[in-house]
Amino acid sequence: MGHRFLEITGTPSVRAARAAQGSAATYARFEGGPDTHDQLGSAEAGFIAARDSAYIASVSETGWPYIQHRGGPPGFLLPLDDRRIAFADLRGNRQYLTLGNIAADSRVALFLMDYANRRRLKLLGRMEVGASEDASLAPLFAAARRAERILVVTVEAFDWNCPQHITPRFTEAEVTAGVAPLRRQIEELEAENRTLRQGLNPAQEPAA
Ligand SMILES: Cc1cc2nc3c(=O)[nH]c(=O)nc-3n(C[C@H](O)[C@H](O)[C@H](O)COP(=O)(O)O)c2cc1C
């Protein structure tokens, strides 16, 4: 009971490391009380729906961690309710590493970055292939023509990280929106410049 993310990740060896490093008391404060950090609220759902990429970690049968990057237009990760997130599994290199891993162990970690705003969200959950008759998954099939299946993550816990050490990075769309006022200002100044030049040299043809 308590902070579900810390509860799941607080294994005996993690706790031993904290005890050895003197931070055990810091995290003991989050133990007990009603469960928190296990249901997606509006902040989490909004953040997830706005992402254009995700890092997804699964566990191999031999215990090796495996991370794959997934990407798509904002909205490719669809929060279905306060526990579930779905996305289209696209036809790709056909290695099926994530798909194979979750067949043996459904536990996954999702790592979602918002570089521009220096925010990140970590989620732990169980991933499975969505049922084809599940009507709530239909929009994902419709949006992704190369979808082989829909994968559904049932979230068990999440945690936000602090922005420290996240270098801001911007997508092409974010850069375009950011420089739009500057472009407009340059166009206005260029027009003003043309008018002024014409005033100084009325005989001169206005530059194209
Ligand atoms: C031609 C091609 C296009 C791909 N397009 C996407 C894509 O748009 N989004 C994405 O997340 N992965 C894309 N992938 C990656 C594959 O879907 C990849 O096989 C999938 O992420 C499964 O990876 P895994 O076997 O490592 O789990 C693409 C791969 C190929 C070869």
Side-chain angles (χ1 to χ4, degrees):
M1 297 285 275
H3 192 304
R4 280 293 290 150
F5 191 91
L6 291 176
E7 202 171 69
I8 291 173
T9 53
T11 60
S13 64
V14 169
R15 286 167 180 268
R18 285 182 194 148
Q21 303 298 321
S23 69
T26 306
Y27 293 96
R29 288 189 289 124
F30 295 97
E31 289 172 9
D35 279 348
T36 66
H37 294 75
D38 58 339
Q39 286 172 299
L40 305 174
S42 57
E44 289 77 33
F47 186 83
I48 292 163
R51 302 282 53 82
D52 61 7
S53 69
Y55 302 100
I56 300 178
S58 54
V59 191
S60 83
E61 275 168 300
T62 49
W64 284 98
Y66 174 72
I67 300 178
Q68 176 59 277
H69 169 271
R70 300 295 176 116
F76 87 106
L77 287 178
L78 180 65
L80 297 173
D81 52 42
D82 62 7
R83 292 272 184 188
R84 296 180 308 147
I85 305 164
F87 63 95
D89 195 24
L90 304 180
R91 178 177 293 274
N93 60 11
R94 298 174 69 81
Q95 288 191 7
Y96 298 117
L97 298 179
T98 304
L99 188 67
N101 283 348
I102 62 165
D105 187 334
S106 65
R107 290 175 299 175
V108 293
L110 268 58
F111 196 71
L112 307 183
M113 294 293 306
D114 176 356
Y115 289 102
N117 296 297
R118 303 174 74 216
R119 292 187 300 168
R120 64 187 162 194
L121 179 63
K122 297 182 294 195
L123 301 116
L124 297 172
R126 295 182 186 272
M127 188 151 83
E128 61 187 355
V129 176
S132 54
E133 60 272 15
D134 185 339
S136 66
L137 307 181
L140 288 169
F141 273 119
R145 278 187 294 115
R146 285 184 294 125
E148 286 189 332
R149 65 195 63 75
I150 303 299
L151 294 173
V152 180
V153 178
T154 302
V155 174
E156 294 205 7
F158 67 83
D159 203 14
W160 292 92
N161 272 145
C162 76
Q164 233 183 351
H165 310 302
I166 301 176
T167 304
R169 298 179 207 282
F170 301 91
T171 63
E172 195 177 349
E174 286 163 344
V175 171
T176 303
V179 301
L182 296 175
R183 282 184 183 278
R184 277 197 298 277
Q185 201 179 0
I186 289 169
E187 282 165 17
E188 283 165 15
L189 289 170
E190 283 175 344
E192 188 183 30
N193 201 23
R194 277 195 295 275
T195 309
L196 289 172
R197 277 171 189 264
Q198 251 188 300
L200 287 174
N201 304 300
Q204 194 181 310
E205 284 289 313

